[in-house]
Structure formats: structure tokens, C-alpha cells
Amino acid sequence: MPSPIKITRLFADSTGESHFEDIEIDMASVQYAPPAPAVDMSDPTATSQLYWFRFPEDWEDAAHPSPRRLIFVVLEGAVEGWTSKGETRVFEPGDRLLMEDTTGKGHGARPVDGEAVAMVIVLAQEN
């Protein structure tokens, strides 16, 4: 069985405080595009939109919840994010963040050393 991929999850607890946690996404070897060799894939995740996102170099916000559940992938530059409890992480190209803090005190963010570019994938609403 292929090893899982690691991503960071941002969520709000029952008191509204935001937190980071490291989680793993299970993978399976799949013959996705025959005759190409098998690749490692996760189960599908329903999405509704994709955005290209640019942080100007002087952009900063102290606290805001995520507007919806989404996956944030840094493509260029770096973005520093922090929780309402003050924990900080820097996300660099290739880093993946599952943002689920749609309620509570939210998180802050800013680009590090110039502008940053990310891809934002909005997850479909759960029923």
C-alpha cells in the first residue's frame, strides 16, 4: 500500500479558537490512464470552484475565518499563517492546507518576502 500524503489542517474548536494539525490522506495505487503505469491517488474529493490567488507583498490580515471549506496550495513565494492561539506556520511552494475554520476567531495571514501566489480549491458543501 502506498504511503499517505501529509497535509496541514486548520480548524476551529468548540470555543472558536483556531488550530493547526497535521493529517494524512490515504493513497492507493490506481491504473488511472491506461496504458500509463499506475499512480498513487486518494479517494476523490468533491469541489465546486478553483481560484488563482495572489497576495500583494504588503497584504496582511490579523484575523478572519475561512469564507468556506477549501484547500490552499502555495505555488510561488511563501505565506505565513497564524491561529487565534498564536501558533504560526510558513507555507512554501507545494505545501497544502485544508482550511476548515469557517467559524470562530479565524486565522491571520501574510506573504513572506514579497508577493505570493496560491491555488484555492473550494470544496463542495457537505450534505
Side-chain angles (χ1 to χ4, degrees), residues 66-94:
S66 296
R68 56 195 63 83
R69 288 182 67 241
L70 55 89
I71 297 173
F72 179 88
V73 181
V74 177
L75 301 173
E76 297 175 9
V79 177
E80 179 182 35
W82 53 90
T83 68
S84 61
K85 299 289 277 183
E87 180 183 2
T88 64
R89 293 197 185 187
V90 174
F91 298 93
E92 298 179 330

Side-chain angles (χ1 to χ4, degrees), residues 2-3 6 22 27 29 32-33 54 62 82 84 87-92 100 102 107 111 117 119:
S3 61
K6 297 174 188 319
D22 297 318
M27 305 292 281
S29 183
Y32 181 71
R54 178 183 293 131
W82 53 90
S84 61
E87 180 183 2
T88 64
R89 293 197 185 187
V90 174
F91 298 93
E92 298 179 330
E100 296 185 312
T102 58
H107 63 277
V117 176
M119 180 173 40

Side-chain angles (χ1 to χ4, degrees), residues 4-124:
I5 61 169
K6 297 174 188 319
I7 67 170
T8 301
R9 177 178 177 239
L10 173 64
F11 68 99
D13 66 20
S14 61
T15 66
E17 298 290 351
S18 58
H19 303 270
F20 290 122
E21 74 173 336
D22 297 318
I23 63 173
E24 294 183 340
I25 305 295
D26 290 331
M27 305 292 281
S29 183
V30 175
Q31 193 74 36
Y32 181 71
V39 296
D40 296 346
M41 291 180 62
S42 71
D43 287 337
T45 300
T47 62
S48 64
Q49 296 173 314
L50 179 140
Y51 295 98
W52 302 101
F53 202 88
R54 178 183 293 131
F55 290 96
E57 67 180 291
D58 58 350
W59 189 91
E60 182 171 340
D61 184 60
H64 61 278
S66 296
R68 56 195 63 83
R69 288 182 67 241
L70 55 89
I71 297 173
F72 179 88
V73 181
V74 177
L75 301 173
E76 297 175 9
V79 177
E80 179 182 35
W82 53 90
T83 68
S84 61
K85 299 289 277 183
E87 180 183 2
T88 64
R89 293 197 185 187
V90 174
F91 298 93
E92 298 179 330
D95 287 342
R96 303 156 301 260
L97 176 62
L98 171 60
M99 299 180 73
E100 296 185 312
D101 67 327
T102 58
T103 61
K105 297 177 182 177
H107 63 277
R110 69 175 185 87
V112 178
D113 297 327
E115 74 177 25
V117 176
M119 180 173 40
V120 174
I121 304 162
V122 178
L123 301 177

